[in-house]
Every structure is written in C-alpha cells, then in structure tokens.
Amino acid sequence: MEKIIKKIAEIRSRKGFSYENMAHDLDLSTSAYRKIETGETKLTVERLVDISRILETPLNELLDTDSQKNFNQENKDSAHGFQGFNDNIFNEYSEVSKKLIDVYEQQIKDLKEEIEQLKNK
C-alpha cells in the first residue's frame, strides 16, 4: 500500500494538485486527505478509484501493475535464464483487485438500475 500512496503523491505533485485540491474534490478536509498520503488513514478501494478519476490516471498506473514490472529475469554465467512471477506483487495486489472488481460490479448494477428508472419515466 505504501507504494500506491507514494505513486499518488508523485502524480498529484507532477500534475500540480495540492492537498487542498484533492481534499476538495474528494469532499474531505485537507487534514483528512493529508492523513491518507501519510498513511495515517487507510486508503480504501473506493477512495482509490476516486483519486484515480481526479488525477485522470488509470488504476493500473497507480497500482503499478505493468506486466513488464511483475516479472524478474535473472541470467547467470552459463545459465539460459529464468523468468518467474513475483509472488509478492501478486499477493499484494490480488486483494485490491478483488475489491476493485466488487466496486465496478456495484457501479454497473447501479447504472443498470438508473437506466431502467429513466426508461420508465
């Protein structure tokens, strides 16, 4: 989670957003947002989705899930090479991925209900 928070702070800073900007867009106090970036407050998946939207940055960039970065390759003197999946990265992000799927499924359900309500008007 520390890596994700660091990435958020980096992108926020690069885009010129202040704590105040982020707090306002997230409907939080500035100190509440600052606590997210300092790790004092736990970052929820829902909040992560909101931050991704505000920063106009895909979730996979915030989560740093580029497949090229998830593999390690090691070549020894006479070896042909080894390439294996980094289990730490997988385990770290599998829980987040599951929660993101749940969030997206709920959003889809809500949008379908809204469509039905609009059709019935």
Side-chain angles (χ1 to χ4, degrees):
M1 197 54 83
E2 206 173 288
K3 290 179 187 177
I4 296 170
I5 293 170
K6 187 175 180 180
K7 188 78 169 179
I8 290 169
E10 174 189 310
I11 293 169
R12 175 189 58 75
S13 179
R14 186 178 60 216
K15 292 193 174 215
F17 293 138
S18 65
Y19 285 135
E20 291 80 11
N21 298 133
M22 295 298 292
H24 178 266
D25 290 348
L26 291 167
D27 198 27
L28 297 172
S29 69
T30 302
S31 63
Y33 179 76
R34 183 173 285 128
K35 286 180 181 181
I36 291 172
E37 278 198 22
T38 59
E40 293 177 59
T41 300
K42 198 170 194 174
L43 178 63
T44 65
V45 173
E46 292 82 4
R47 187 80 68 207
L48 180 61
V49 170
D50 291 340
I51 290 170
S52 169
R53 180 184 46 77
I54 292 165
L55 293 176
E56 297 175 337
T57 303
L59 282 170
N60 65 329
E61 186 176 333
L62 292 178
L63 297 173
D64 203 17
T65 58
D66 179 18
S67 62
Q68 295 298 317
K69 295 178 183 172
N70 290 338
F71 285 88
N72 292 326
Q73 186 167 354
E74 179 181 322
N75 290 316
K76 300 279 182 179
D77 293 340
S78 63
H80 294 287
F82 167 77
Q83 189 172 33
F85 191 75
N86 185 331
D87 289 333
N88 291 338
I89 292 173
F90 175 77
N91 292 332
E92 186 176 334
Y93 294 120
S94 66
E95 183 70 25
V96 173
S97 297
K98 289 175 187 175
K99 289 180 180 180
L100 285 173
I101 290 169
D102 290 343
V103 168
Y104 284 135
E105 286 176 346
Q106 184 61 46
Q107 287 176 342
I108 290 169
K109 181 182 173 191
D110 293 344
L111 288 170
K112 284 181 178 179
E113 288 175 5
E114 188 175 338
I115 288 169
E116 283 304 312
Q117 289 175 353
L118 291 170
K119 282 182 181 178
N120 293 330
K121 283 188 175 183

